[in-house]
Amino acid sequence: MAFALARTRALLGLEAPLVAVEVHLSGGLPRTSLVGLPAAAVRESTDRVRAALVASDFQYPNGRVVINLGPADLPKEGGRFDLPIALGILAASGQIPAERLAEVEVVGELSLNGTVQPVRGAVSCAVAARASSRGLILPAGNAREAAFARATRLFPVSHLAEARCHLLGAPAIEPFSAPVPDSHPIEAPDLAEVRGQETAKRVLEIAAAGGHHVLMVGPPGTGKTMLANRLPGLLPPMSEAEALETMAIYSARRLERDPTAWRQRPVRAPHHTISAVGLVGGGVPPRPGEISLANHGLLFLDELAEFGRSILDVLREPLESGRVAIVRAACEAEFPARFQLVAAMNPCPCGYLGDGTQRCRCLPEAVRRYQARVSGPLVDRFDVHLAMVREAADSRPGHGGSDRRSRDPGTARRTTSVVRERVAAAYAIQIDRGGRLNRDLAPAATAHCCPLDPDARSLLRAATRRFALSERAVQRVLRVTRTIADIDGGERPRADQVAEALAYRGLERFSLS
């Protein structure tokens, strides 16, 4: 009898729990048994491993082979266990030293010819291996993304024979490392290209500075999508911790991110035909959805009212908690979902309710049904409500020629590069003060970070009574007020800043006509 142990990692959400691959060889009729709650793809690994070992000129044991994946109550899926099973069999049969195998963790899927294929969740595996102080043998196709975890002992292999040679030390694979590049700002259209809409540009700057959720409502052609497309260029780069978490999410979906842009904030814009599972995540095993792929970045929902109401309402909990828990009968996974939501919609089915240039032809009941597609609790979770209006051409700054536009001081202050500098300065103030953006402040922290003078407090109290603002809405007004003060460079928010924040809370009941 012979026994060997190989260590590998499963994948549950972004967690990579340790799995012990125990291989026991004994005499008797040739038979291979795989136990330990394997999914269908894992049960098929015995055939892939046998073919890969034979194709690589290794000897497959001629007797009974029992393979246990422990712990037995942990669900296992995918082909990620192929390579550790193969190396465990080689160690148990004396073809590689078992003591060398104990120094590393192994993950990888095998083709029938012994080629090692990439797997999902390599970043999470690298983070876990670094914490355990063990090396990690992984597919060469996953090496670049795993290097962002800054694990010092990554050993990429392209073939089963390379893994065996490394464990034999003839020749050993040099640890893989790659420089982590600096990230440049997202190449987005310039904010100065938007003519007019100075209030909307101000709102965009406030939203970028505090990470606030924005709802834009207005007729077609007022610039809603144009403004949203310019918001990514205003956002500062992610920290390394944020970038690594986002990279792990993309790795769990087997999606690639440009290594040179790894600290750029992700931007996701799903179509309104998306399902609830596609938006928040799900499946068996659970995989991250669009809100997690937008983690630490921007989620843009255009034509908001065209999404199903039940689909939109699944956003309510993640907007508050910044996480989404997906529970299935066999397993449970949790994914981060701390995203900035920007949404745009028309005020009615035809789009021209309240527009001064075209007459709305919708019946009142049709308008009511259309606006009811977006629930009140979801509207309440937007920090900033912006009613977009069509501006006359001769009222726009710079109208009348490029010379006049270039002389307009407001246009110069609203270029993407200038606004991005102010946003970055406001970001730094927030992180230094509380370690998080104003959007994410808890009620107690909001009261501490946003002390109002008597005039500002009196104004907020009167507005709360006059407009019947919910406690959630009051908290969001305070957070937006704090962001406005951070942009303006004030320590204590003023009454006029409270008034500006209140001006962006006018759409709870969609009074747009």
Side-chain angles (χ1 to χ4, degrees):
M1 294 188 300
F3 175 83
L5 172 66
R7 294 180 176 88
T8 185
R9 296 279 172 178
L11 186 65
L12 284 180
L14 295 190
E15 300 296 322
L18 185 67
V19 173
V21 180
E22 300 173 325
V23 180
H24 181 266
L25 307 182
S26 61
L29 294 176
R31 180 185 175 188
T32 300
S33 301
L34 179 61
V35 297
L37 201 60
V42 182
R43 288 196 297 269
E44 295 169 351
S45 67
T46 55
D47 294 328
R48 290 194 299 271
V49 168
R50 178 191 292 271
L53 287 172
V54 173
S56 303
D57 295 329
F58 301 133
Q59 182 180 359
Y60 195 85
N62 188 22
R64 184 166 185 182
V65 180
V66 178
I67 304 164
N68 178 47
L69 306 178
D73 60 346
L74 179 69
K76 294 106 183 161
E77 61 87 22
R80 59 193 312 106
F81 303 101
D82 292 359
L83 185 58
I85 289 174
L87 294 179
I89 291 175
L90 292 178
S93 58
Q95 299 178 69
I96 61 172
E99 59 274 11
R100 291 291 304 275
L101 186 60
E103 299 172 357
V104 295
E105 297 174 6
V106 187
V107 64
E109 179 180 339
L110 287 175
S111 296
L112 298 183
N113 62 357
T115 302
V116 181
Q117 301 293 336
V119 297
R120 293 192 306 115
V123 174
S124 299
C125 294
V127 171
R130 181 186 64 186
S132 68
S133 300
R134 284 188 286 264
L136 177 64
I137 297 177
L138 77 168
N142 292 127
R144 189 64 185 87
E145 60 180 296
F148 286 97
R150 299 189 185 275
T152 57
R153 298 174 62 209
L154 296 176
F155 305 108
V157 295
S158 300
H159 195 275
L160 174 60
E162 294 180 14
R164 177 178 180 269
C165 290
H166 172 72
L167 294 174
L168 289 173
I173 300 172
E174 291 295 324
F176 178 84
S177 63
V180 177
D182 294 330
S183 186
H184 303 288
I186 294 177
E187 294 183 3
D190 200 292
L191 190 61
E193 295 174 358
V194 181
R195 307 293 293 275
Q197 298 292 4
E198 294 304 315
T199 299
K201 293 177 185 177
R202 168 71 169 172
V203 167
L204 216 62
E205 179 177 346
I206 294 170
H212 300 294
H213 309 303
V214 182
L215 173 61
M216 296 182 286
V217 182
T222 52
K224 302 185 296 295
T225 303
M226 182 183 295
L227 287 164
N229 289 336
R230 281 152 178 79
L231 181 57
L234 307 180
L235 303 176
M238 294 183 285
S239 66
E240 284 206 13
E242 291 173 338
L244 182 59
E245 184 178 64
T246 302
M247 184 72 78
I249 294 172
Y250 276 71
S251 178
R253 275 283 299 268
R254 201 179 283 184
L255 297 176
E256 294 185 4
R257 276 179 64 80
D258 183 0
T260 63
W262 81 293
R263 290 182 59 192
Q264 288 183 2
R265 297 186 181 273
V267 179
R268 306 293 296 186
H271 192 260
H272 64 261
T273 55
I274 192 173
S275 66
V277 170
L279 192 60
V280 301
V284 180
R287 300 196 182 192
E290 289 292 324
I291 63 173
S292 295
L293 295 175
N295 187 51
H296 299 304
L298 178 66
L299 178 69
F300 177 46
L301 301 183
D302 202 2
E303 302 295 345
L304 185 68
E306 300 300 329
F307 289 79
R309 175 165 174 164
S310 60
I311 295 174
L312 291 179
D313 281 345
V314 300
L315 295 174
R316 287 156 55 177
E317 291 84 356
L319 282 172
E320 294 290 335
S321 65
R323 306 192 72 80
V324 57
I326 301 171
V327 181
R328 297 292 181 265
C331 58
E332 177 180 349
E334 187 176 76
F335 297 102
R338 196 164 295 281
F339 58 94
Q340 181 178 4
L341 177 60
V342 177
M345 63 175 288
N346 296 327
C348 66
C350 78
Y352 294 105
L353 179 65
D355 188 24
T357 61
Q358 298 194 42
R359 179 172 173 265
C360 175
R361 299 182 181 274
C362 302
L363 296 175
E365 180 61 22
V367 175
R368 188 196 66 79
R369 287 198 305 268
Y370 184 81
Q371 295 180 354
R373 295 180 183 178
V374 184
S375 66
L378 179 60
V379 173
D380 200 37
R381 284 169 167 81
F382 284 94
D383 303 304
V384 176
H385 304 161
L386 180 61
M388 301 288 293
V389 295
R390 195 183 309 279
E391 295 183 347
D394 57 0
S395 67
R396 300 172 186 168
H399 178 74
S402 59
D403 293 339
R404 182 176 173 181
R405 176 174 180 242
S406 64
R407 293 194 299 268
D408 179 63
T411 302
R413 285 175 50 81
R414 288 281 191 263
T415 63
T416 291
S417 59
V418 172
V419 173
R420 184 166 54 232
E421 291 179 3
R422 293 201 294 266
V423 168
Y427 250 71
I429 292 173
Q430 296 167 64
I431 299 302
D432 290 343
R433 180 175 56 231
R436 61 186 60 193
L437 295 178
N438 292 331
R439 176 196 67 200
D440 301 322
L441 291 175
T446 303
H448 175 74
C449 296
C450 192
L452 302 180
D453 58 35
D455 290 341
R457 191 178 301 110
S458 177
L459 175 61
L460 180 59
R461 190 178 300 116
T464 302
R465 292 195 300 267
R466 171 68 177 82
F467 301 110
L469 297 179
S470 67
E471 180 59 31
R472 179 187 290 117
V474 171
Q475 290 294 319
R476 294 188 182 278
V477 168
L478 287 172
R479 294 166 190 164
V480 173
T481 300
R482 180 67 266 176
T483 300
I484 295 172
D486 290 337
I487 294 174
D488 295 344
E491 188 67 30
R492 191 181 184 92
R494 305 185 306 268
D496 64 308
Q497 293 167 336
V498 173
E500 183 180 2
L502 284 167
Y504 305 140
R505 293 295 305 186
L507 300 181
E508 277 88 352
R509 290 176 298 278
F510 284 90
S511 301
L512 304 176
S513 55

